[in-house]
Structure formats: C-alpha cells, structure tokens
Amino acid sequence: MQKKIYVAGMLDEKGEESVNQAVSAITGVTSCTASAMKAQVLVDYDETVAGVEDAINQAISSVGLEVLA
C-alpha cells in the first residue's frame, strides 16, 4: 500500500535524508521518498504488519517534523 503523508518542518535535503532513514528502518516499509519541496513523504508499506502506520508517524515525528492530518 502507498500512503502520502503531509509534514511540516522539512526544509531541505538533510531533512529528507533523516526522514528516509528513519522510516525505511521500520519493519514492513518497502520504500520511502521524502520531498521538502512538496512537504510530503510517500511511503510504500505492507499493511498486514501490525502497527506499521503508527510506527511510520512516530518515525517522522522523531526527526522533529510534524505529521499533518
């Protein structure tokens, strides 16, 4: 499943890199592409893995970004 997550606070390539590393480390995530220009993160993941969506949001928050609704 692919999910588009809008975020606040990602300003540059360093922020993109931090998000990509944090989210890609989660079990069940197959790919992650962060874009500071679009203020979004595209994540492909296996929705059958328990708690993966919460883990993705927590990983984004852990690098200092705000996940928007």
Side-chain angles (χ1 to χ4, degrees):
M1 173 175 196
Q2 186 175 70
K3 183 174 185 179
K4 185 184 295 183
I5 303 167
Y6 290 97
V7 298
M10 184 169 37
L11 305 175
D12 54 22
E13 289 180 12
K14 186 175 180 179
E16 293 172 349
E17 213 173 288
S18 296
V19 172
N20 288 335
Q21 288 178 353
V23 174
S24 294
I26 297 168
T27 300
V29 172
T30 54
S31 74
C32 175
T33 305
S35 171
M37 182 181 284
K38 294 180 181 179
Q40 70 183 21
V41 182
L42 292 177
V43 184
D44 285 308
Y45 63 95
D46 180 354
E47 69 254 21
T48 64
V49 174
V52 69
E53 289 189 50
D54 288 337
I56 291 167
N57 289 339
Q58 288 174 353
I60 293 169
S61 295
S62 76
V63 297
L65 302 179
E66 179 183 355
V67 176
L68 304 174

